[in-house]
Amino acid sequence: MKALPVVILFGVAACLGVMLGLQYLKGVRSKPVMIGMHLLFGAAGLEVMVMTLAGAPDGTVIFTGTLGRTAAGFLAAALFIGILSPIVGRRSRLTMNVALATHATVASVGVALLLAWVALA
């Protein structure tokens, strides 16, 4: 399975995201290291996924299809929303809740599409 690194990286990012979300719902302040690891694993997973979709330098492409590109689009949007959430949510708790809920929803759809892409490939 050539997409295993992508699945592992996004799996770790998703687990960290669930832990961060539970801490947020409990009102516990998250450790910056945990937030940073969540960001790094998500960004690394997206990078490896884009490299997998783009193919090798010699032009051979392992995976094709629009499902992988759609998943990558959703995951890139989730990364972008996650980075902007603290900036947008500084003013009010409601705005932060909406931003984080949007981030979690878009990321969940992206991970579901990723797993469907890997299963069908």
Side-chain angles (χ1 to χ4, degrees):
M1 171 178 265
K2 301 197 188 233
L4 188 62
V6 176
V7 173
I8 290 172
L9 287 169
F10 278 120
V12 172
C15 288
L16 287 170
V18 168
M19 290 171 51
L20 288 168
L22 290 174
Q23 286 180 347
Y24 182 78
L25 292 175
K26 289 180 185 176
V28 177
R29 189 162 176 89
S30 299
K31 292 182 170 45
V33 172
M34 203 165 161
I35 296 170
M37 293 303 290
H38 174 65
L39 173 66
L40 288 175
F41 276 106
L46 186 62
E47 180 181 1
V48 173
M49 184 174 185
V50 168
M51 288 178 2
T52 303
L53 285 169
D58 65 355
T60 58
V61 178
I62 299 169
F63 296 107
T64 58
T66 58
L67 191 59
R69 294 189 192 283
T70 306
F74 270 96
L75 293 167
L79 180 68
F80 183 70
I81 294 167
I83 289 172
L84 288 182
S85 291
I87 298 167
V88 172
R90 277 192 184 162
R91 305 263 175 174
S92 73
R93 180 98 171 151
L94 177 65
T95 308
M96 183 61 133
N97 289 343
V98 170
L100 288 178
T102 305
H103 167 70
T105 303
V106 172
S108 298
V109 170
V111 169
L113 288 172
L114 167 75
L115 293 175
W117 173 62
V118 169
L120 294 175

